[in-house]
Amino acid sequence: MERALTVIHALGLMLVVFSIAYLMPILTSLIYDDGTLIDFLLAMVWTSAIGFLMWWLTRRHKGELSIRDGYLLVVAMWTAMPAVSTLPLLLVVDGLSFTDAYFETMSGLTTTGATVLTGLDNLPPAINIWRHELNWLGGMGIIVLAVAILPLLGIGGRQLFKAETPGR
């Protein structure tokens, strides 16, 4: 149980850092005045609050992660990041189910390019920027980000690298 709490601690920090990604769509919403500013601000606050709560509740469980913990953190990260990324889509796009929003964000973060949305040209610019930013952050980019930032936060990022590159 102690090791799982260490993973939750690291995931909380990653979510707090990930909440910074909402700044680009917030800026886009301000520039275009597309009516999504409050939605992205809420998503940013919720993401950082969830991450901070996870981090704060497990603050006594910091430590170096083993390779097995790294695998768990990678799975948790690839599950949690798309889940919190759905918030703006759910708030802005009418009639979009959580499943469709999750598919859309997972598609972006894994850079598969698949979409369930129609009428992309009619979406607010901030939503399209969010979709494109998820693609930009996606794939190995998010792992590289985690490997670069986790050591600065006092958590070893090498476990993530090993979990994502089999045979090393």
Side-chain angles (χ1 to χ4, degrees), residues 96-165:
L96 188 66
S97 69
F98 175 78
T99 305
D100 287 342
Y102 191 87
F103 177 86
E104 189 70 28
T105 57
M106 181 61 88
S107 167
L109 287 171
T110 58
T111 64
T112 60
T115 185
V116 294
L117 299 176
T118 58
L120 297 177
D121 292 338
N122 299 326
L123 289 174
I127 288 292
N128 276 325
I129 286 289
W130 180 239
R131 292 178 61 249
H132 295 299
E133 185 177 6
L134 289 175
N135 277 295
W136 182 70
L137 290 172
M140 287 301 286
I142 201 147
I143 299 301
V144 170
L145 181 68
V147 170
I149 287 182
L150 283 178
L152 298 174
L153 300 173
I155 301 165
R158 187 162 191 233
Q159 290 79 11
L160 281 176
F161 179 72
K162 283 185 176 182
E164 281 290 321
T165 55

Side-chain angles (χ1 to χ4, degrees), residues 31 34 38 47 50 55 66 70 78 85 91-92 97 123 127 136 163:
I31 291 170
D34 62 5
I38 297 299
T47 301
I50 290 167
W55 172 82
S66 69
W78 280 109
S85 298
L91 293 170
V92 173
S97 69
L123 289 174
I127 288 292
W136 182 70

Side-chain angles (χ1 to χ4, degrees), residues 12 15-16 44-55 84 87:
L15 287 175
V16 169
M44 183 180 196
V45 167
W46 274 101
T47 301
S48 59
I50 290 167
F52 180 78
L53 187 64
M54 290 169 66
W55 172 82
V84 297
L87 293 172

Side-chain angles (χ1 to χ4, degrees), residues 8-9 11-20 22 40-58 80 84 87:
I8 292 170
H9 182 77
L11 182 61
L13 285 172
M14 291 174 73
L15 287 175
V16 169
V17 170
F18 183 72
S19 69
I20 295 169
Y22 289 104
F40 278 103
L41 286 172
L42 281 172
M44 183 180 196
V45 167
W46 274 101
T47 301
S48 59
I50 290 167
F52 180 78
L53 187 64
M54 290 169 66
W55 172 82
W56 187 74
L57 291 175
T58 59
V84 297
L87 293 172

